[in-house]
Amino acid sequence: MIWNHFSRCELFLAICDKWGASVLGGGLGGVNRGKSWCWPLLASIFVTLSLAVPASGGVTASQVVVVVNADSADSRTVANYYIQRRGIPSQNVVVLKNIPNQETISVEQFRELILKPLLQEIDRRQMSSSIKCISYSADFPTAIQIDSDLNGIKDRPIFITPVGSINGLTFLCQMVAQKNPQYVSLESNLYARRAGSHFFNNPFSANQFSRWKAIESLVQEKKHLEAAEAFEGVLVEMPNQFPSAYLAAEQYAQAGKVDAAVDMLQAAVETGWIWRKPTENNERFTPLKKDQRYHELLAKLQDKSFEFQPAIGFESRSFYGPNGVVSSLPSEGLRYVMSTVLAVTRGEGTTVAEAIDNLDRSAAADYSFPEGTFYFTSTADVRTTTRKPSFAMAMDALRTLGKKSEIVEGVLPQRKPDCLGVMIGSADYDWSGCQSRLVPGAIAENLTSLGGIMTPGSGQTKLTSLIRAGAAGSSGTVTEPYAIQAKFPHPMIQPFYADGATLTEAFHLTVTGPYQLLIVGDPLCQPFAKVPRFTIAGLKPLDVVVGSLNLTLTPAEDRQKHSQPLLLQVLLDGKMMIENRFVNKLNINPGDLSEGFHEMALIATDDSLLQRQFEVRLPFYFQLEASDFYFEFQQEVTRVENETLEVELGFPRADSIELRCYGEVLGMVKGAKGKVEIPTSSIGLGQLPLQPVAIVAGKEVSGAPKILTLK
């Protein structure tokens, strides 16, 4: 026997039982799936995912929404820069008004002023099926007071403190929107990876826990055939549950049913089981050793560590089950949407200039495959000892990836010029004093109580000190969290990142109880990703399209630098249009597409567990020439010299013409031609895409955006 399948503490389910309904929603328990204001993460408005086409992981620019505080110049400026640097589509930018100018707001304010209008706008733009990450620009409240959601909980543990972070509660929006307090559970993130043996935990919600206990009893009573049939029954109901197929194989083998055991083992391999050594060393499979099919299956398996569940790419349409298995069935788990904060510039945050420098450095690090060492610091402080037991596992995983790592004694690594990543645990530190250097793209992370509280004078070194030092991303809790591993990134964040996960995936893969964690940085940064690059022939930027499109897609040939594309998604103006296997020849019929400017994004996904992605975007005109629009303004101005910007607009058939930026209407002219004036103080500094939209007989006809550089 290689482990005890049923000895793990069912902490999450125990909390669910104590507090009421299951955390798993819908058929799984108490989350209401009736009509809701909340975007398809809460209801079934998502585009249905075909079981024939696996969901795709990874994150690209077209899958990120940037949220801007309309009333903050800092928020607009940071967003303007990031959007242009990363090529975020204009339709992926949501500008919210009336955001309180303070660090802390109530959960009621968060729901009504931020979460509700944000998710409704994403749904209105028909982008729900493509968005994977919501990133807030500067000047949003980062701490959310959640007392009112927790009032009904009796005997609440002391470590469940009543403050959450803006991105933690956004990630957990399925429960937060419906005031389900189980979002504070230390096990609320079912996407996060855990010990490998966690696969063999109960796959059901709390209200079906008795069924799993009954199967456990059959195993303990050595009723092998009955147990095998029960596990097989789970697989029939939940086809993605490869652990149940593996457990069924064990029990059939113990019952002497060799053929049935091999059949179940084959089912496990076909649905997700990949580990050779645990299979080969499993004494329960001794009866299979003489079977040729068993050895053929072993040959298909990989020499990967089973100590920790492997990193998988994030998909917001997938359902993550309580044992870490991914499904496309609503009854089998929870949906999430990842979330980060691009910058914190109030209080003890960075300056706007520092935030922009950080985002620029992070974007430049993509696909750079930097050389260096991952450092884990060691002290007697509980902030270190909380995570220290997992250092060896993370270092083994890094070694497997060909990466160097080192445990260094003391608060910080000293005089290390090659820090690919750093994990520390100290209340206070001075990074500049250690004379070490963070390599561009590095995740630098500290476990301490007040790292995410930006109020001046609140004590302890802030996460922003690591951003200022050059980290692509860091995190900290927005209240006293207590030294609990579940609330902070697990040391496996570094090998997951080194394997090619995006920064936002690396964080969300390793925090099982994220409701209090503030994650700051560039969500798209991926210095170690080998992505499925490809080129497109058949359409050039701003070509005029009249009929259907015939495109040729050519994957990059260098397999040392690029992975092989497996899947292809095509988005048109942010809406999912095609999702299928990657093909070299693609015919697209625009159908009833409106005339004017449009943008198409093609996203390839490889066949790795992380499902790394690569995106190519093509702007084009449909049944309209660019010259049909008259659109003129001074494209580079300084705010000091220009309090207003004059823009001339014209379109022959227009009843009116709007000037838009990120969906906001900045001005309008009546008729087919005219001028608008924009106060330069209202739109933030940096590069902004201004776009003319003509209203013709009640329909919108868009022109191509032009970039305004405002200094």
Side-chain angles (χ1 to χ4, degrees), residues 81-264:
Y81 182 82
Y82 184 74
I83 291 161
Q84 290 303 310
R85 183 65 177 85
R86 278 298 189 181
I88 306 294
S90 290
Q91 70 264 10
N92 286 46
V93 183
V94 177
V95 182
L96 298 180
K97 298 180 179 179
N98 304 315
I99 303 300
N101 183 22
Q102 56 202 58
E103 184 174 348
T104 303
I105 59 173
S106 70
V107 70
E108 289 84 0
Q109 289 175 301
F110 171 67
R111 278 189 281 258
E112 291 302 313
L113 299 177
I114 298 176
L115 191 61
K116 179 177 179 178
L118 168 60
L119 298 185
Q120 284 182 332
E121 185 61 19
I122 291 172
D123 190 38
R124 186 189 70 78
R125 298 182 191 185
Q126 301 178 47
M127 300 186 338
S128 303
S129 61
S130 59
I131 298 306
K132 298 183 180 182
C133 182
I134 292 172
S135 288
Y136 295 94
S137 187
D139 261 1
F140 277 88
T142 49
I144 315 298
Q145 199 71 36
I146 60 173
D147 307 68
S148 61
D149 281 358
L150 306 186
N151 285 340
I153 301 173
K154 295 181 179 180
D155 304 321
R156 173 161 47 91
I158 190 173
F159 55 82
I160 302 297
T161 44
V163 182
S165 72
I166 185 172
N167 54 266
L169 269 57
T170 300
F171 177 76
L172 299 164
C173 66
Q174 179 169 346
M175 290 175 279
V176 172
Q178 297 187 350
K179 304 181 182 181
N180 184 332
Q182 293 161 45
Y183 61 78
V184 302
S185 165
L186 299 182
E187 299 289 331
S188 60
N189 178 7
L190 305 181
Y191 169 64
R193 303 293 85 188
R194 295 161 172 82
S197 58
H198 185 74
F199 278 132
F200 297 105
N201 280 7
N202 173 27
F204 301 117
S205 61
N207 56 12
Q208 294 192 65
F209 188 46
S210 59
R211 177 180 173 186
W212 191 253
K213 294 297 289 185
I215 301 175
E216 288 181 354
S217 296
L218 293 174
V219 174
Q220 291 163 359
E221 294 167 11
K222 297 185 178 180
K223 296 180 178 179
H224 299 301
L225 186 57
E226 292 177 59
E229 291 171 346
F231 283 129
E232 186 174 358
V234 174
L235 181 66
V236 170
E237 291 179 35
M238 306 166 74
N240 285 27
Q241 281 293 337
F242 64 85
S244 291
Y246 186 90
L247 294 172
E250 286 185 334
Q251 294 302 308
Y252 274 128
Q254 292 296 288
K257 302 290 186 179
V258 172
D259 287 343
V262 176
D263 287 344
M264 280 295 98

Side-chain angles (χ1 to χ4, degrees), residues 36-54:
S36 168
W37 54 261
C38 198
W39 168 49
L41 284 165
L42 300 183
S44 299
I45 309 170
F46 271 104
V47 173
T48 302
L49 182 63
S50 168
L51 293 178
V53 180

Side-chain angles (χ1 to χ4, degrees), residues 3 27 76 102 115 118 120 139 164 178 194 231 260 269 306 334 351 372 410 422 507 539 630 633 640 694 703:
W3 53 73
R76 286 183 179 274
Q102 56 202 58
L115 191 61
L118 168 60
Q120 284 182 332
D139 261 1
Q178 297 187 350
R194 295 161 172 82
F231 283 129
V269 172
F306 191 67
L334 280 176
T351 65
V422 175
F507 274 99
L539 181 68
Y630 182 76
F633 59 89
V640 173

Side-chain angles (χ1 to χ4, degrees), residues 449-577:
S449 298
L450 310 181
I453 300 176
M454 297 301 161
T455 306
S458 57
Q460 301 191 0
T461 305
K462 306 306 174 188
L463 70 92
T464 44
S465 70
L466 291 169
I467 298 293
R468 196 175 291 113
S474 190
S475 67
T477 49
V478 295
T479 187
E480 171 57 61
Y482 296 87
I484 297 174
Q485 165 66 81
K487 294 187 179 186
F488 295 89
H490 190 279
M492 287 296 290
I493 188 174
Q494 300 293 4
F496 286 172
Y497 194 44
D499 196 27
T502 57
L503 185 142
T504 186
E505 288 175 306
F507 274 99
H508 290 93
L509 277 163
T510 55
V511 186
T512 62
Y515 86 99
Q516 294 179 322
L517 193 69
L518 182 66
I519 304 170
V520 179
D522 180 357
L524 289 172
C525 189
Q526 46 183 343
F528 302 100
K530 188 167 77 168
V531 295
R533 286 183 182 270
F534 64 98
T535 57
I536 299 175
L539 181 68
K540 297 188 297 294
L542 296 181
D543 272 357
V544 177
V545 175
V546 178
S548 61
L549 282 167
N550 292 291
L551 305 179
T552 300
L553 282 57
T554 305
E557 294 182 359
D558 188 348
R559 290 289 158 259
Q560 296 298 316
K561 296 181 179 179
H562 311 298
S563 55
Q564 181 73 26
L566 174 67
L567 305 177
L568 179 69
Q569 294 176 334
V570 180
L571 310 182
L572 189 57
D573 299 331
K575 307 173 188 67
M576 189 73 74
M577 186 178 179

